[in-house]
Amino acid sequence: MKKKVLTTTIATGLMTAGVLTTQNPASAKADTVPTGDNATSTNEVSTQESDAKTIAQNNVNTAQTNLDKSKADTQNASDSLQKAKANETTAQKAVDEQTNKVADAQSNVDKAQADVTTAQNELTTAQENAKNATETNIQTAKNNVATQEQNVATAQDQEKQANDAVTEQANKVADAQKAVNDAQKNTSTAQNNVNAAQKTVDDAKVAMDPANVQATVDAANKAEAQVNQDKQDVATAQNNLENAKAADATRQTNIDNAKKAVNTAQANVDFSTKQAQEMKDQLNKYQGIKDAAQKEVDGLNDKLANVNTITISDVEAYKKAFNDWYTGSKRGENWTEEDKNFLNDFMNSNTYKGNAADKNITVDINHLTADQIKELSLFSADLLNQVRNQLGLPKVIVTEGSLKLAKDVTDNYVSDNWDKFDHDVDGISRAAEENGLLSGGNFYEDAIFSSDFSEASTMDDLKSILYTGIVTMIGGSGDEMLHAAGLLGVDFGDDISTGKEQYFSAGTSMFPIKENQMWITKMGHFFNVSKDYIRDSAKFSTTEVPGTSTEDLVAQLNTTKTKLASATDALNKAKDADTQAQQILAKNKAKLTTAQDNLAKAQNVPVQTATAQKILTDAQNKLAADTKINEDAQAKKEAALGDEAAKQKVLDQANANLATAQKALTDAQAKQKVAENNLSAEKAKLASLQQVANEKIQDVKTAQVALDDAKNKLAALENAPLLVKAAEDKLVAAQKALDPVENVLVSEKAKLSALKQDLADAQADVTTAQKNYDEKLAIQTKAQTDLDNAKKVLQAIYDREALEAQIAAQEKAREEAEKKAAEEKAQAEKNGYHVDGNKVVDENGNQVSNWTVKNGQIIDNKGKVVSGLTINKAGAVVNKTGQQINSKNVVDNLQANRRTQAPVVQSKVAGKTYVSTVVAPEKAKANALPQTGEKESKTTLVGAILVGLGSLVGLFGLGRKKEY
């Protein structure tokens, strides 16, 4: 019954977990398992348990399968989301780059428009001048020029007069400054005279003292000697002054000559510097032209070095191979080994050049952008035109209509899930009809198939496929020339020289990946549309798509090389002119340096006249002063040697001389003040005249501007026709320059609009992919939850089985222990003394009357524990060595363990009281044995304990079952 209850509980757990579904009807059995005493049989319960386990395992497997599928779906959704985000990033990058291109194009248009506006204004001015270029107006302009020239001359005269007045006044200022200097000198001399006169008075007063006579005489002698020396110094200074004037005259002559040499040298250097700069500017100009030409040549060489080319080594041999294939009653029957070998050599000798930049551009081969289709079409058209040019055939032209046809056809290949090595004729026909072309068959497409192990593609991969396709088709791959005829515009069977112009484009697509193949197939498509296949011109645009072909690059390179040669020749001539100008400049600079050195040397010769004049003046002043001193000294001497009246006379004279000197000082100071006032007045006049001169200088400049304007107006009138033509040419050039940049702007804006649509599509794809991913992730999360719940249910079943196995093992161990205990008990009863309840019995089942059992110990009749004896787990009474005692050895064991016995202790085991008694050892006889007698219950203490333990084990097992 307990197993039945457990089974029902687990079945209920399965239903609660939500794992059991109608997908497994057998799971319903668990709902109706009986739980009462009348439940199904053990076999039925076991079967139901097995069904529940099977159901749980099946549910786990189902949940795991669902989870695995959900994870795969989620991963696919994640991959799609990441791919969509990558496409969005690529689209955003393309929009950003194109936005910059539009901004650049707009800037170019604005500049070109500004140039047009400027040219238009200049033309308007020139035309207005042309209207006014009558003889009368021209004569009036000439008269105005003459008037302005006179005005310039008058202004220049007035400027000269003002400058002359400034110079004259500057001389007056210099004279006034000299007068001030002289007045200051006179004042200084007068002051010195006052000082000398005062000293004479003081000396005269001293001379009145008789004690100073000798000193006065000595002073007079000394003063006379000093006068004589002063006269000699004046004569020397006079002579030195004459010499200094002569030396300064020579110095000035040398300076004047040196200045003239410096001015001449400076003029030469200025002229040479101007010439050298002009030559340097010219050199830089031609260097820039040459560098620009060289850069253009290098750029074109680089482009041509990376351009893929297809070369026919022998045009006639190719034409022969082409025509041989078409001749005869059966195509290819006249194809010679020579033809085949030539075509094989052609295909082997033309190989694709990888492009590093294109290798970094990832593409979605099944969803090429408009720009990518355009790039691939122009690339393929250039290759095809190289071949056509060599064969003398008309070129193919890439048009807007052919590009649309390419996109529509390749889109149809993708939407049709095309996976055959053949043409999707229905898809081609639908695209042809939609584009206004003849439909109903494959009239347009040639295709190449290329196998690869990777779905990922770059622009370089696609160009490689298209290059290989053209080479192999032109080379008769597959032993036929139908593809070559289609690409070359030759109708089947026609001579190869009769090719026609066609509208052309290229595209690519990819086969879907199959489960049974490791590789995928990539296709290259070529579309040639003849003019006579156009049924509705409104649907097929023949507007040519601009592009640069290899032929264009070669032509540009040749033109640029010519420009480079011309620029190089001009540069070499400019270099020679620059070298000569620099040599002349260096020579003139050397002369200037020499002249400047000579001038510096001349100027460094000291001026001598002023110093000599000062020395002479000082000597003369000293002579005059010393003469006066001498006169006073001589007078003092005479007075000192004379009488008192004479000394008084000398003093009176000295006082009179002091008064005269003081008056002279006052007069000198007054004259100095007048001179200083006059200097200030003259300086004020000079400042006023200088202001006038500055105004006259500005008048000359104004007059010169008016003259230049008059001359320009006269030139504009006299050259009006030429200026109008030049302005017209400039306007035409500006307008011509405006048109292409406006076209570029329109084109770039159109590209931007398309890219923005691509971005919007990519963003929509991201939104869709995100939603799909979220949905798949939610499904995966639920599948994971279902799996976790199913595993919990299955684990619960396994846990229950493990618990039942554990309980069964415990029951088995208990049964074996009981069995073993019973066997040991039986053996113990057979071999000797053993316990039976609270009694001790011998091997014959007779009770030992003096012993009882209490608390697992043997007690004698005095209540003491019998020494040396114990009870083992089988209930046998054993000695210290574990040997069971019996009727034969009991005395030996008791004597070996003689001691005082412990008091009797009563105890209850399983509700019964056990008491044992023994004869006290000290009173026992040698042959006395414990008495045996009545036989009571065979249930021993050990047995009772084992029974009790068994009950506990049973209760434990049952309790454990109920817990589950």
Side-chain angles (χ1 to χ4, degrees):
M1 183 182 74
K2 296 169 185 174
K3 290 183 179 179
K4 296 172 187 175
V5 173
L6 182 61
T7 303
T8 303
T9 301
I10 291 184
T12 304
L14 287 171
M15 293 303 293
T16 302
V19 177
L20 298 180
T21 65
T22 56
Q23 295 177 357
N24 192 346
S27 64
K29 295 178 180 178
D31 288 336
T32 57
V33 175
T35 60
D37 293 335
N38 296 325
T40 57
S41 67
T42 302
N43 289 337
E44 290 174 340
V45 171
S46 176
T47 300
Q48 291 173 353
E49 290 178 348
S50 176
D51 288 346
K53 181 177 179 182
T54 301
I55 291 169
Q57 184 62 59
N58 289 339
N59 286 336
V60 168
N61 295 341
T62 300
Q64 185 65 59
T65 300
N66 292 339
L67 177 60
D68 293 341
K69 181 178 181 302
S70 177
K71 284 183 176 180
D73 293 343
T74 302
Q75 185 59 51
N76 290 335
S78 177
D79 293 341
S80 298
L81 176 59
Q82 296 307 316
K83 185 176 181 180
K85 287 183 176 180
N87 291 339
E88 179 187 20
T89 300
T90 300
Q92 184 64 61
K93 182 179 179 183
V95 167
D96 294 341
E97 291 176 350
Q98 190 60 33
T99 299
N100 292 334
K101 290 182 180 179
V102 169
D104 292 340
Q106 184 64 60
S107 177
N108 293 334
V109 168
D110 293 342
K111 182 178 180 302
Q113 184 61 60
D115 292 340
V116 169
T117 301
T118 300
Q120 182 64 60
N121 292 337
E122 291 178 357
L123 176 59
T124 300
T125 301
Q127 289 173 338
E128 188 65 25
N129 287 335
K131 292 179 180 178
N132 296 328
T134 62
E135 292 184 2
T136 300
N137 289 339
I138 292 174
Q139 186 59 49
T140 300
K142 287 180 178 180
N143 294 339
N144 187 38
V145 169
T147 299
Q148 296 304 327
E149 287 175 342
Q150 182 60 46
N151 290 341
V152 169
T154 300
Q156 288 174 339
D157 289 341
Q158 292 176 351
E159 178 188 11
K160 182 177 182 305
Q161 292 173 8
N163 287 334
D164 290 344
V166 168
T167 300
E168 181 180 355
Q169 186 61 30
N171 292 334
K172 290 181 179 181
V173 169
D175 292 340
Q177 184 65 58
K178 183 176 181 302
V180 168
N181 294 340
D182 291 342
Q184 290 174 340
K185 186 185 296 183
N186 292 337
T187 299
S188 177
T189 299
Q191 184 64 57
N192 291 335
N193 291 337
V194 168
N195 295 338
Q198 185 63 54
K199 186 175 183 303
T200 300
V201 170
D202 294 339
D203 290 343
K205 289 179 179 180
V206 171
M208 298 291 290
D209 187 353
N212 296 323
V213 173
Q214 186 58 49
T216 301
V217 172
D218 291 339
N221 292 336
K222 183 180 179 181
E224 184 176 10
Q226 185 60 53
V227 168
N228 292 333
Q229 181 61 48
D230 289 345
K231 290 179 179 180
Q232 184 177 350
D233 291 342
V234 168
T236 301
Q238 186 66 52
N239 184 60
N240 290 339
L241 176 58
E242 297 302 324
N243 293 335
K245 289 181 177 180
D248 286 348
T250 301
R251 173 184 177 278
Q252 189 59 49
T253 299
N254 293 336
I255 290 175
D256 293 341
N257 293 335
K259 283 184 177 179
K260 291 180 181 178
V262 168
N263 293 337
T264 300
Q266 185 64 59
N268 291 336
V269 167
D270 293 342
F271 178 78
S272 299
T273 299
K274 181 179 179 182
Q275 289 293 102
Q277 186 59 49
E278 290 177 356
M279 293 303 101
K280 178 64 68 178
D281 292 343
Q282 180 173 272
L283 174 62
N284 292 337
K285 171 186 175 182
Y286 286 113
Q287 183 68 57
I289 295 173
K290 190 262 185 184
D291 290 344
Q294 184 65 59
K295 183 177 180 181
E296 192 172 354
V297 168
D298 293 342
L300 290 170
N301 279 327
D302 289 342
K303 286 183 180 180
L304 287 170
N306 294 318
V307 165
N308 285 278
T309 58
I310 300 178
T311 304
I312 301 176
S313 60
D314 188 336
V315 172
E316 295 304 320
Y318 180 83
K319 289 182 177 180
K320 175 181 179 301
F322 184 93
N323 291 327
D324 285 349
W325 190 84
Y326 278 105
T327 58
S329 59
K330 183 179 179 181
R331 289 172 179 166
E333 68 179 350
N334 291 334
W335 222 353
T336 65
E337 288 300 316
E338 180 183 8
D339 292 335
K340 295 179 180 179
N341 290 336
F342 174 79
L343 294 176
N344 283 333
D345 290 342
F346 165 78
M347 288 187 287
N348 292 331
S349 61
N350 288 285
T351 57
Y352 175 72
K353 297 179 183 178
N355 186 294
D358 287 340
K359 289 179 180 178
N360 293 325
I361 302 175
T362 58
V363 296
D364 182 353
I365 187 172
N366 282 339
H367 302 89
L368 296 179
T369 66
D371 280 348
Q372 289 169 344
I373 294 177
K374 173 184 173 182
E375 181 176 351
L376 294 175
S377 297
L378 291 173
F379 169 79
S380 302
D382 178 53
L383 294 173
L384 193 54
N385 282 332
Q386 292 178 34
V387 176
R388 285 190 170 220
N389 287 340
Q390 294 173 73
L391 297 174
L393 300 175
K395 296 181 181 179
V396 295
I397 301 172
V398 177
T399 68
E400 294 179 357
S402 66
L403 292 181
K404 185 174 183 303
L405 175 65
K407 184 178 189 308
D408 291 346
V409 173
T410 53
D411 286 349
N412 287 345
Y413 267 85
V414 175
S415 63
D416 292 346
N417 292 320
W418 195 256
D419 60 358
K420 302 178 182 63
F421 288 92
D422 199 353
H423 300 281
D424 182 4
V425 177
D426 181 62
I428 296 170
S429 296
R430 296 201 311 272
E433 183 175 0
E434 291 173 0
N435 286 275
L437 301 175
L438 174 67
S439 60
N442 178 20
F443 306 117
Y444 309 99
E445 183 196 47
D446 292 278
I448 180 174
F449 303 85
S450 173
S451 297
D452 197 354
F453 288 95
S454 172
E455 182 179 0
S457 295
T458 66
M459 185 61 74
D460 186 67
D461 295 332
L462 305 192
K463 289 182 179 180
S464 175
I465 293 172
L466 296 175
Y467 179 94
T468 302
I470 291 177
V471 170
T472 54
M473 290 178 183
I474 295 298
S477 175
D479 293 335
E480 55 97 349
M481 298 296 283
L482 292 175
H483 285 294
L487 292 177
L488 297 176
V490 180
D491 290 335
F492 298 151
D494 286 351
D495 186 271
I496 192 173
S497 301
T498 61
K500 51 192 171 183
E501 179 186 274
Q502 294 173 301
Y503 304 125
F504 175 83
S505 59
T508 59
S509 65
M510 183 168 60
F511 279 9
I513 300 177
K514 293 183 177 180
E515 296 180 357
N516 61 348
Q517 65 185 43
M518 293 178 61
W519 46 267
I520 61 177
T521 299
K522 298 176 181 178
M523 294 183 65
H525 308 270
F526 305 96
F527 306 95
N528 291 74
V529 179
S530 298
K531 295 180 179 178
D532 52 356
Y533 281 3
I534 300 175
R535 293 294 181 264
D536 186 349
S537 59
K539 294 183 178 180
F540 186 87
S541 173
T542 58
T543 301
E544 184 174 356
V545 175
T548 302
S549 65
T550 302
E551 183 181 5
D552 295 333
L553 291 176
V554 171
Q556 292 176 18
L557 177 61
N558 292 333
T559 300
T560 307
K561 282 182 176 179
T562 301
K563 289 167 55 179
L564 176 60
S566 175
T568 301
D569 180 62
L571 176 62
N572 291 332
K573 292 178 180 179
K575 284 181 178 179
D576 292 340
D578 178 64
T579 299
Q580 293 176 7
Q582 293 298 331
Q583 290 173 348
I584 293 173
L585 176 59
K587 181 178 179 181
N588 287 336
K589 283 184 176 180
K591 290 181 178 180
L592 175 60
T593 300
T594 300
Q596 288 172 334
D597 290 343
N598 292 336
L599 175 59
K601 290 177 181 178
Q603 290 174 332
N604 287 336
V605 174
V607 178
Q608 302 178 35
T609 299
T611 302
Q613 181 64 58
K614 185 176 184 304
I615 292 173
L616 174 60
T617 301
D618 291 344
Q620 289 173 335
N621 291 336
K622 191 172 185 300
L623 174 60
D626 289 344
T627 298
K628 184 63 175 172
I629 292 171
N630 183 48
E631 290 175 352
D632 291 341
Q634 293 304 321
K636 292 175 182 178
K637 175 182 176 182
E638 291 178 3
L641 294 177
D643 54 18
E644 290 300 321
K647 292 180 182 180
Q648 185 62 50
K649 183 179 179 181
V650 170
L651 177 58
D652 293 339
Q653 184 61 48
N655 285 325
N657 291 341
L658 175 60
T660 301
Q662 288 175 335
K663 183 178 184 303
L665 175 60
T666 300
D667 293 341
Q669 289 174 336
K671 290 180 179 179
Q672 178 181 343
K673 182 64 176 177
V674 171
E676 288 175 347
N677 292 338
N678 183 58
L679 176 61
S680 297
E682 297 297 342
K683 284 184 176 180
K685 290 181 180 179
L686 177 60
S688 176
L689 291 173
Q690 186 65 61
Q691 178 63 34
V692 172
N694 292 338
E695 293 173 355
K696 296 304 179 184
I697 291 172
Q698 186 59 46
D699 291 343
V700 170
K701 292 180 179 179
T702 302
Q704 186 63 53
V705 170
L707 174 58
D708 293 340
D709 183 61
K711 287 181 177 180
N712 290 335
K713 290 181 179 179
L714 175 60
L717 293 174
E718 290 179 332
N719 300 305
L722 295 176
L723 294 177
V724 169
K725 180 63 170 63
E728 289 174 342
D729 293 342
K730 184 176 181 179
L731 178 59
V732 170
Q735 290 173 333
K736 184 177 181 181
L738 176 61
D739 292 340
V741 295
E742 285 182 331
N743 292 337
V744 169
L745 177 58
V746 171
S747 175
E748 297 297 346
K749 284 184 176 180
K751 293 177 185 177
L752 179 59
S753 178
L755 290 174
K756 284 183 176 179
Q757 183 58 50
D758 291 342
L759 175 58
D761 294 342
Q763 290 171 334
D765 291 343
V766 169
T767 301
T768 301
Q770 183 67 56
K771 180 180 179 182
N772 183 50
Y773 171 74
D774 294 341
E775 292 173 350
K776 293 295 187 291
L777 184 59
I779 294 173
Q780 178 185 333
T781 302
K782 182 178 183 303
Q784 183 66 58
T785 302
D786 292 345
L787 176 60
D788 293 341
N789 291 335
K791 284 183 176 179
K792 288 178 182 177
V793 172
L794 181 60
Q795 187 61 45
I797 294 176
Y798 281 122
D799 290 345
R800 176 183 59 74
E801 290 180 346
L803 177 60
E804 289 182 343
Q806 180 183 0
I807 293 173
Q810 290 174 348
E811 290 177 348
K812 182 178 180 182
R814 180 176 60 77
E815 290 172 356
E816 290 178 351
E818 289 176 349
K819 180 179 180 182
K820 183 177 180 181
E823 291 175 349
E824 290 176 346
K825 178 182 178 185
Q827 189 65 35
E829 291 174 350
K830 178 181 178 182
N831 291 340
Y833 282 18
H834 57 277
V835 175
D836 184 4
N838 62 344
K839 300 181 182 68
V840 178
V841 296
D842 62 13
E843 61 269 21
N844 296 316
N846 298 317
Q847 181 178 1
V848 179
S849 61
N850 295 325
W851 288 353
T852 58
V853 177
K854 185 177 182 180
N855 293 334
Q857 294 179 313
I858 300 174
I859 308 300
D860 62 17
N861 55 4
K862 292 183 178 181
K864 296 182 179 180
V865 176
V866 178
S867 176
L869 299 180
T870 58
I871 303 171
N872 67 12
K873 64 181 181 178
V877 179
V878 296
N879 58 19
K880 291 181 179 180
T881 63
Q883 179 184 9
Q884 185 175 8
I885 64 173
N886 52 40
S887 299
K888 295 180 180 180
N889 60 21
V890 63
V891 174
D892 295 334
N893 281 279
L894 288 174
Q895 290 177 344
N897 295 281
R898 191 186 302 270
R899 63 182 180 81
T900 301
Q901 299 299 311
V904 175
V905 178
Q906 294 184 352
S907 63
K908 290 184 178 181
V909 177
K912 294 183 179 181
T913 301
Y914 294 88
V915 179
S916 66
T917 61
V918 297
V919 177
E922 62 269 19
K923 295 181 180 181
K925 298 180 180 179
N927 60 351
L929 296 173
Q931 298 299 310
T932 60
E934 61 189 42
K935 189 174 184 180
E936 299 200 9
S937 174
K938 294 182 180 180
T939 303
T940 65
L941 174 64
V942 174
I945 291 174
L946 290 175
V947 171
L949 289 174
S951 299
L952 290 174
V953 170
L955 290 172
F956 172 77
L958 179 58
R960 295 285 289 174
K961 287 184 179 180
K962 288 182 177 180
E963 288 177 6
Y964 287 83

